[in-house]
Amino acid sequence: MSRRVVVIGGGAGGPSTAAEASRRDPSLSITMIEQGEYVSYAACSMPYYIGDLIKDESKLIARTPEKFREGGVDVRTGVQAEGVDLKDQVVTLVGGETLPFDVLVLATGARPILPGIPGEDLEGVFTLKQLPDAIGIKKYLREIKCRKAIIVGAGFIGMEMCEAFVDAGVETTMVNMGKMPVPRWDPELGQLILESLKSHRIKLLAETKSLAIEKGGSCNLRLITNNGHFEADLILLAIGVRPSVGLAGEMGLVLGRTGAISVNLSQRTSHPSVYAVGDCCEAFHRVSKQWTNVPLGDIANKQGRVAGQNLAGFPSIFPGIVGAQAFKLFDLEIAATGLDEREAIAAGYSPVSTLIWGEVVPLSLPGETRLGLKLLADKSTGLLLGAQAVGPHGAVSRINTLSAALWSGLPVEEVGYLDLAYAPPFSRAWDLIHIAAQDLMKEMG
Amino acid sequence: MSRRVVVIGGGAGGPSTAAEASRRDPSLSITMIEQGEYVSYAACSMPYYIGDLIKDESKLIARTPEKFREGGVDVRTGVQAEGVDLKDQVVTLVGGETLPFDVLVLATGARPILPGIPGEDLEGVFTLKQLPDAIGIKKYLREIKCRKAIIVGAGFIGMEMCEAFVDAGVETTMVNMGKMPVPRWDPELGQLILESLKSHRIKLLAETKSLAIEKGGSCNLRLITNNGHFEADLILLAIGVRPSVGLAGEMGLVLGRTGAISVNLSQRTSHPSVYAVGDCCEAFHRVSKQWTNVPLGDIANKQGRVAGQNLAGFPSIFPGIVGAQAFKLFDLEIAATGLDEREAIAAGYSPVSTLIWGEVVPLSLPGETRLGLKLLADKSTGLLLGAQAVGPHGAVSRINTLSAALWSGLPVEEVGYLDLAYAPPFSRAWDLIHIAAQDLMKEMG
């Protein structure tokens, strides 16, 4: 009899696992269950779908259930797992049906954190994590009359969504508990973000705590905060996500310090028949040397590929992450990698940093633009620890180059002499990477 | 008495050495001599000056002689070294003057290779290596009547110059000995280059040998080739450069296999009092593990900084190169790093490769563009050996990321899982780097 694989969760990591496993070993009997209606979609593109750069939700689907079935993977949507019996190796579905397995893959994802305030369940209050959320928001946006939205939270999803709302012609206010948005980035770099929000007429209320949501007067809803009341037809709660580990917890799987499912490099959990991939599990951070939980789609895809290979009998490891991340905000590229000061100290390093501003290309050429680049290094070892960049062009490119440097544990001294492809239309002979690294060397003395 | 440093050559490496040395040790007595009129200029930007994107040659000057003098460096232009007496540590200038030194820095650069054909010294025949060449070409372009130019050679300088000529409104023909231009790039990628040249109405004559230049009829000059005669007012000879090592040879310094001056990691030559930097010397290639001669301005700058630190008493090494290179051709980014097949075999590797085409950003977003990416790896070790990319966007960015990977000697398997900053406006969840690396893993079996 062929080995039976059950995959719980159809967002990104689950489909990636199922696709890779079926490709590697067509004899596997693979069933993927998903409680929602959709599987295998590009969740990271949802803001662009809402902003209508992507017209149709079908464009977000990487692989349809039919396509999976052609590849020998049985996809069942609208089906929820109620419990897992690890001794008998059986998944029990809501409704009583059972799915026996030889190998189980948990790809249960993450769910939005709710502020826990009165009225957060009112109509017009949304979170954004799964495709139906996006479809719901887009549909609702077409109907609302007062064309006003409030985003609670100023993380990167909040940022992408405020651009989407502006694209959709909606007046947007952001309400943020912290002083600065996206605190991963240095406040000096955050200044560019504030200016961009301002120039697009987005109001950002800093150090503002949301207290309640109630029915509105001129608009459908009213948000009550410690800084006043604000009306809007749509309120998006975007204060973060946490891993969905209810099932894993009930199964007695080991959870890590982050609260996500603990896995090893081959994506195996504490139980030898159970793998976990994606937002619900941890990933090894190559710079902090700690297991972290970073809920990003590209990581889920990679972990799924590794799990799929392993369960199909092709040994493989996921070599970990360095914390590379980027988002676009109107005309700005905002990117970071590695650790920030707080994370570096938590990992045991002694961070020193530098932050420089410069033109990406030589001053004498047209199209010049100022990029801010911050580098962090460890004072005791001279190792590069992290980088942050914000600017109209070249931020992501530089962060990716520095991510490859972090991946290998390069000392800042070598980063100062990295051999990069230089031509005047693309960079200066001493790229900002070199200038920042050499500046940081001076800081380290 | 303060230590006397004489720097011969004022292009890029020499000024970089002098500036760094004077900054590190203001007590040094530094003299920099340059046979031409200009020092410290951005030679790589000369095509953009000729194409008039940069209006004024003063914009190419990084640091004027006056600025150097303020920093304590005595700059003497129009002065040529005739010989060096290493025993007495004296440079003799043309005209008889002598400059004693404690430390000598050779930054004698490279000179254009001439085809050695009749008429190559006629008026209107140019090479492009130094700033006066660029000034001469720009001046001449304003005067010619038939608005036609021929470029002999289709390397990256020839490519940048054909864009410059088109920008200057000059009809341009390229004459190339080889079948394809810029043979470092795979012919499949070269196809994009051919299409770009064609769409800008640049005629490229392949497998064509230039035999002679003579006075023309309708234009000033006529190029005689084995493929016919072609008239133009301007002929640019751009078939490459070779290191200027006459002085070094006479001094008895060791030259490397490349014909350039042999140096160690601190830029010291075979004589303990003599450093060499820039196009005239070799650099350690971290992938081939061989000493190479790569005449590029960014390398010269870095070597100069290292030499300047060492001669000022601050020990420093130049950690080498990986062969990163880029140029722009109209709307194309063309970039490469590491080794190509021929170089890989010469270094002792067993190269396998893959070449993929794909959209840089998700298909469902606007602005999509096809990028071609080739990766090479060593079959025996699985190490990444090189990469080439051509496309309207994202080629340089990816080559820089891969340069950092090559720098550290990453295996292709890890490149397939590199943590890169992903967001839909910038890349796909599986970047082309990942797809190519995973594809190459399959090739390697």
Side-chain angles (χ1 to χ4, degrees):
Chain A
M1 204 182 73
S2 67
R3 283 168 73 230
R4 294 156 308 183
V5 179
V6 173
V7 179
I8 302 179
S16 175
T17 309
E20 183 69 14
S22 68
R23 198 159 36 224
R24 295 280 183 152
D25 181 356
S27 82
L28 291 172
S29 167
I30 306 175
T31 303
M32 179 165 73
I33 65 171
E34 161 59 39
Q35 60 184 62
E37 182 182 350
Y38 301 94
V39 299
S40 185
Y41 51 87
C44 307
S45 290
M46 294 189 302
Y48 305 95
Y49 161 74
I50 293 168
D52 214 32
L53 275 176
I54 301 170
K55 300 289 169 194
D56 182 12
E57 61 261 30
S58 70
K59 291 272 198 287
L60 298 179
I61 308 290
R63 187 184 279 235
T64 60
E66 293 69 43
K67 195 87 188 166
F68 271 105
R69 283 181 201 118
E70 282 169 28
V73 177
D74 184 24
V75 174
R76 299 177 59 183
T77 55
V79 167
Q80 196 175 349
E82 186 166 76
V84 174
D85 182 336
L86 275 177
K87 205 164 114 285
D88 293 341
Q89 307 216 145
V90 168
V91 178
T92 305
L93 304 181
V94 171
E97 192 188 343
T98 57
L99 292 176
F101 63 81
D102 298 297
V103 178
L104 179 68
V105 179
L106 295 177
T108 47
R111 59 178 193 284
I113 299 172
L114 292 173
I117 57 175
E120 67 185 24
D121 54 352
L122 285 173
E123 201 196 323
V125 181
F126 290 89
T127 58
L128 177 64
K129 183 68 184 77
Q130 295 186 306
L131 186 49
D133 301 332
I135 294 171
I137 292 171
K138 189 164 185 170
K139 185 164 169 289
Y140 187 78
L141 276 179
R142 293 210 178 100
E143 294 161 4
I144 56 176
K145 54 183 191 306
C146 82
R147 314 304 301 162
K148 281 187 186 173
I150 295 169
I151 299 173
V152 176
F156 81 97
I157 297 287
M159 289 291 157
E160 289 181 339
M161 283 305 299
C162 85
E163 181 172 353
F165 285 156
V166 168
D167 285 346
V170 174
E171 187 187 324
T172 304
T173 298
M174 300 187 84
V175 172
N176 191 32
M177 290 266 279
K179 195 161 177 236
M180 290 293 288
V182 286
R184 179 173 188 180
W185 283 265
D186 191 279
E188 193 179 323
L189 297 171
Q191 237 10 77
L192 244 65
I193 299 174
L194 294 183
E195 285 164 23
S196 175
L197 291 174
K198 200 172 169 190
S199 74
H200 289 86
R201 286 192 298 268
I202 290 154
K203 199 191 292 173
L204 172 64
L205 297 157
E207 297 177 305
T208 299
K209 194 169 159 56
S210 299
L211 302 171
I213 300 170
E214 52 190 42
K215 293 266 177 198
S218 54
C219 300
N220 287 352
L221 299 166
R222 182 183 302 123
L223 179 72
I224 315 297
T225 79
N226 62 331
N227 266 335
H229 301 184
F230 305 93
E231 295 228 338
D233 275 346
L234 188 155
I235 295 178
L236 178 70
L237 303 173
I239 58 176
V241 299
R242 66 167 56 99
S244 295
V245 295
L247 210 55
E250 289 164 21
M251 290 161 65
L253 298 181
V254 173
L255 304 183
R257 292 195 326 172
T258 64
I261 302 168
S262 179
V263 291
N264 65 14
L265 294 175
S266 64
Q267 297 303 129
R268 222 180 267 261
T269 68
S270 56
H271 190 286
S273 302
V274 183
Y275 291 83
V277 298
D279 293 1
C280 67
C281 75
E282 296 187 326
F284 178 69
H285 197 299
R286 297 173 66 98
V287 185
S288 73
K289 314 298 184 197
Q290 289 170 349
W291 288 82
T292 53
N293 176 239
V294 179
L296 292 173
D298 56 330
I299 298 173
N301 280 339
K302 288 174 189 141
Q303 291 178 324
R305 187 164 292 186
V306 168
Q309 286 175 18
N310 282 310
L311 67 86
F314 294 84
S316 172
I317 64 157
F318 178 56
I321 64 169
V322 296
Q325 184 191 3
F327 67 92
K328 177 178 166 291
L329 179 69
F330 302 107
D331 297 329
L332 286 181
E333 295 183 8
I334 298 158
T337 188
L339 309 175
D340 62 21
E341 268 95 352
R342 193 183 49 78
E343 294 166 329
I345 291 166
Y349 292 114
S350 307
V352 282
S353 70
T354 188
L355 197 163
I356 63 161
W357 292 92
E359 302 295 331
V360 170
V361 295
L363 266 172
S364 43
L365 278 175
E368 62 231 20
T369 58
R370 237 163 58 104
L371 184 81
L373 177 63
K374 178 174 181 172
L375 292 188
L376 292 93
D378 177 46
K379 201 170 164 60
S380 61
T381 59
L383 291 178
L384 181 70
L385 294 180
Q388 302 158 20
V390 179
H393 297 290
V396 172
S397 162
R398 279 160 187 81
I399 289 301
N400 279 343
T401 300
L402 291 163
S403 292
L406 280 170
W407 182 276
S408 308
L410 281 198
V412 173
E413 188 164 10
E414 288 192 22
V415 175
Y417 287 105
L418 265 185
D419 187 14
L420 303 176
Y422 158 62
F426 309 125
S427 69
R428 303 196 287 179
W430 288 102
D431 190 79
L432 292 177
I433 287 177
H434 301 125
I435 296 169
Q438 302 229 359
D439 198 54
L440 189 47
M441 283 302 293
K442 283 177 210 147
E443 291 291 319
M444 288 194 289
Chain B
M1 201 184 71
S2 67
R3 282 168 73 232
R4 296 156 305 181
V5 179
V6 173
V7 179
I8 302 179
S16 176
T17 308
E20 183 70 14
S22 68
R23 196 156 41 222
R24 294 280 182 154
D25 182 356
S27 81
L28 290 172
S29 167
I30 306 175
T31 304
M32 179 165 73
I33 65 171
E34 161 60 38
Q35 61 184 63
E37 181 180 352
Y38 300 95
V39 299
S40 186
Y41 52 88
C44 307
S45 290
M46 293 189 302
Y48 304 95
Y49 161 74
I50 293 168
D52 214 31
L53 275 175
I54 301 170
K55 301 288 170 198
D56 182 11
E57 60 261 28
S58 71
K59 291 270 196 287
L60 297 180
I61 308 290
R63 187 184 279 237
T64 59
E66 293 68 42
K67 195 89 187 163
F68 271 104
R69 283 180 202 117
E70 283 169 26
V73 177
D74 183 26
V75 175
R76 299 178 58 182
T77 54
V79 168
Q80 195 174 350
E82 186 165 76
V84 175
D85 182 336
L86 276 177
K87 204 164 116 283
D88 293 341
Q89 306 216 145
V90 168
V91 178
T92 306
L93 305 181
V94 172
E97 193 189 341
T98 57
L99 291 175
F101 63 85
D102 297 296
V103 178
L104 180 68
V105 180
L106 295 177
T108 47
R111 61 180 192 282
I113 299 173
L114 292 173
I117 56 175
E120 67 186 25
D121 53 353
L122 285 174
E123 200 194 326
V125 181
F126 290 89
T127 57
L128 177 63
K129 182 70 185 78
Q130 296 187 306
L131 186 49
D133 302 330
I135 294 171
I137 291 171
K138 190 165 184 170
K139 183 162 172 288
Y140 187 78
L141 276 180
R142 291 208 179 101
E143 294 162 5
I144 56 177
K145 55 184 190 302
C146 81
R147 312 306 300 161
K148 281 187 187 172
I150 294 169
I151 300 173
V152 177
F156 81 95
I157 297 287
M159 290 290 157
E160 289 181 340
M161 282 306 297
C162 84
E163 181 172 352
F165 284 157
V166 169
D167 285 347
V170 174
E171 186 187 325
T172 304
T173 299
M174 301 188 82
V175 172
N176 191 32
M177 290 267 278
K179 196 164 176 235
M180 290 293 290
V182 285
R184 180 174 188 181
W185 282 265
D186 190 280
E188 194 180 323
L189 298 171
Q191 231 18 72
L192 244 65
I193 299 174
L194 295 183
E195 286 164 23
S196 175
L197 291 175
K198 200 173 168 186
S199 73
H200 290 85
R201 287 191 297 267
I202 290 154
K203 198 191 292 174
L204 172 64
L205 297 157
E207 297 178 301
T208 299
K209 194 168 159 56
S210 299
L211 302 172
I213 300 170
E214 52 190 42
K215 292 267 178 195
S218 54
C219 299
N220 285 354
L221 298 166
R222 182 184 301 123
L223 178 72
I224 315 296
T225 78
N226 62 331
N227 266 335
H229 301 184
F230 305 93
E231 295 229 338
D233 275 344
L234 187 156
I235 295 176
L236 177 70
L237 303 173
I239 57 177
V241 298
R242 65 165 56 99
S244 295
V245 295
L247 209 55
E250 288 164 22
M251 289 161 67
L253 297 181
V254 174
L255 304 183
R257 292 196 324 172
T258 65
I261 302 168
S262 181
V263 291
N264 66 13
L265 295 175
S266 64
Q267 298 303 130
R268 224 180 266 262
T269 68
S270 55
H271 190 285
S273 300
V274 183
Y275 290 84
V277 298
D279 294 0
C280 68
C281 76
E282 296 187 327
F284 179 69
H285 197 298
R286 296 172 67 97
V287 185
S288 72
K289 314 298 184 198
Q290 289 171 349
W291 288 83
T292 54
N293 176 241
V294 180
L296 292 173
D298 56 331
I299 297 173
N301 280 340
K302 288 173 189 144
Q303 291 178 326
R305 187 163 293 185
V306 168
Q309 287 175 19
N310 282 310
L311 67 85
F314 295 84
S316 172
I317 64 159
F318 178 58
I321 64 169
V322 296
Q325 184 192 2
F327 67 93
K328 178 176 165 296
L329 178 69
F330 301 107
D331 297 330
L332 287 181
E333 295 183 6
I334 298 158
T337 188
L339 309 176
D340 62 20
E341 268 96 350
R342 193 182 49 76
E343 294 167 328
I345 291 167
Y349 292 115
S350 307
V352 282
S353 71
T354 189
L355 197 163
I356 64 161
W357 292 91
E359 303 295 330
V360 170
V361 296
L363 266 172
S364 43
L365 280 175
E368 61 232 21
T369 57
R370 238 162 57 104
L371 183 80
L373 178 62
K374 178 174 181 172
L375 292 187
L376 291 91
D378 177 46
K379 202 171 166 61
S380 61
T381 58
L383 290 178
L384 181 70
L385 294 180
Q388 302 158 20
V390 179
H393 297 290
V396 172
S397 163
R398 278 157 188 83
I399 289 301
N400 280 343
T401 300
L402 290 163
S403 293
L406 279 171
W407 182 277
S408 307
L410 281 200
V412 174
E413 189 163 11
E414 289 192 21
V415 175
Y417 287 105
L418 266 186
D419 189 13
L420 303 175
Y422 158 61
F426 309 125
S427 69
R428 304 196 288 178
W430 289 102
D431 189 79
L432 292 177
I433 287 177
H434 301 125
I435 297 170
Q438 301 229 359
D439 199 55
L440 189 47
M441 284 301 292
K442 285 177 208 147
E443 292 289 320
M444 289 194 286

